[in-house]
Amino acid sequence: MPFYPSYDGTRLHFDEVGDGPPVLALPGGPGTDVRYLGDLGGLAAGRRLIRMDARAAGRSEVPGDHATVSFVEQARDVEELRRFLGLTRVDVIAHSAGTLTAQEYAVAHPGRVRRMVLVTPVGRAAREPDAAELAALRASRAEEPWYQAASAADAALRAGGLSREAEVMARARMVPFSWHRWSAERRRAEYVPGHATSLPWLREAFYDGSSTEPDRLARLAASRVPVLVIAGASDGLIGTAPARLVAAAYPDSRLEVMPEAGHRPWAEQPDLFRTLVDDFLSAGQPPRV
């Protein structure tokens, strides 16, 4: 199994799916095993997806210093993988919380990212959902058979004071809000036991210090990386507001809101997702012979 040593000696895992121009794929969660991305709706048919397991997630090692799990620090892991693979410039595709790592990498290592795809991003420097939009998205599902249990779990999480076990169960009950269409088959196909992190400190460590740099938004605005931002119109986990904020932060960006998708749009509208990403990444590339 392929591992590489990062800057502090932590052994991090990656794998490769498909063949073609390389694309670094960063997972969300934070802390979710990268295998949940699959082949990103068939994107691997024409691209070499290099899927990274973040530190303390998936098959990668847990570092001794928990502070290195911050998304700001994890951008260093992306650079170490690029160097390990001997790539000069890379395309990057990231999902959810992983989009914070991708954005940090693009501004910390200018010239290393050719194009960047941010899928259902959580925000620019932290989670930035719009509470009113989320409430409306969730209320629109009131006729669904799972709604009462999911809504009660939502209220319990907002009230706080839950044990670790109760919090995990509540988040599991809220999963249907993340999808345009939800079913028991979807749960079995998408949520593999062991893929989500079991480390109680990881989520806080990932976001820690995310807003401490006052010029972060200015750094994003100064980026010259072309950016495609993809949101799901039915994403009741984070909404579309963060995607709109992210797209507005970059001078060379494009926003696409997929109409019949939630938080994992490649799984619900794979053909549209693949077309959007392929067309965007193909711009400026020489044709394959």
Side-chain angles (χ1 to χ4, degrees):
M1 295 174 68
F3 289 85
Y4 70 99
S6 197
Y7 63 91
D8 60 350
T10 302
R11 295 176 71 246
L12 304 181
H13 181 271
F14 70 97
D15 61 20
E16 299 186 24
V17 180
D19 182 52
V23 181
L24 294 186
L26 281 57
T32 305
D33 189 304
V34 75
R35 284 173 286 189
Y36 83 94
L37 295 178
D39 66 358
L40 284 171
L43 191 64
R47 305 202 175 263
R48 171 188 166 203
L49 295 182
I50 303 165
R51 308 184 305 181
M52 296 180 56
D53 267 325
R55 57 179 53 216
R59 294 150 288 180
S60 290
E61 289 184 348
V62 178
D65 183 357
H66 293 179
T68 64
V69 175
S70 161
F71 75 80
V72 174
E73 293 297 316
Q74 289 201 44
R76 300 173 67 182
D77 297 330
V78 181
E79 175 63 4
E80 291 297 327
L81 179 57
R82 182 200 64 78
R83 294 173 58 189
F84 180 82
L85 296 171
L87 300 173
T88 303
R89 296 180 76 206
V90 294
D91 291 330
V92 176
I93 185 167
H95 176 234
S96 192
T99 63
L100 292 175
T101 303
Q103 292 176 84
E104 178 63 24
Y105 178 64
V107 298
H109 299 276
R112 292 304 186 188
V113 179
R114 192 187 73 92
R115 288 182 166 252
M116 184 164 61
V117 181
L118 305 175
V119 184
T120 57
V122 298
R124 301 160 298 179
R127 284 176 59 89
E128 298 179 285
D130 180 274
E133 182 194 30
L134 277 184
L137 282 168
R138 293 172 182 178
S140 71
R141 313 300 292 275
E143 299 304 316
E144 301 278 1
W146 46 262
Y147 175 79
Q148 293 300 326
S151 183
D154 182 19
L157 281 170
R158 284 187 282 108
L162 298 179
S163 67
R164 169 64 179 169
E165 182 179 356
E167 180 180 340
V168 169
M169 292 180 63
R171 292 191 184 280
R173 291 192 181 102
M174 286 184 63
V175 161
F177 282 134
S178 301
W179 295 85
H180 181 73
R181 293 187 180 89
W182 177 248
S183 65
E185 291 75 17
R186 179 70 72 191
R187 180 184 293 277
R188 287 191 291 270
E190 294 287 337
Y191 295 91
V192 177
H195 275 194
T197 183
S198 60
L199 299 172
W201 52 266
L202 190 146
R203 185 179 182 85
E204 182 178 353
F206 180 84
Y207 288 108
D208 187 48
S210 60
S211 300
T212 60
E213 189 175 356
D215 66 341
R216 179 171 174 79
L217 296 185
R219 292 171 66 213
L220 299 184
S223 171
R224 293 296 176 261
V225 177
V227 180
L228 171 64
V229 183
I230 297 177
S234 300
D235 186 352
L237 177 64
I238 198 68
T240 66
R244 299 178 194 279
L245 289 173
V246 168
Y250 292 92
D252 187 1
S253 67
R254 170 182 160 197
L255 172 67
E256 294 284 349
V257 180
M258 293 175 54
E260 296 182 6
H263 198 60
R264 299 187 183 186
W266 67 87
E268 295 198 274
Q269 291 189 279
D271 293 342
L272 175 57
F273 180 87
R274 185 172 61 253
T275 297
L276 290 172
V277 177
D278 260 333
D279 288 351
F280 175 75
L281 293 181
S282 294
Q285 282 186 334
R288 298 186 69 186
V289 179

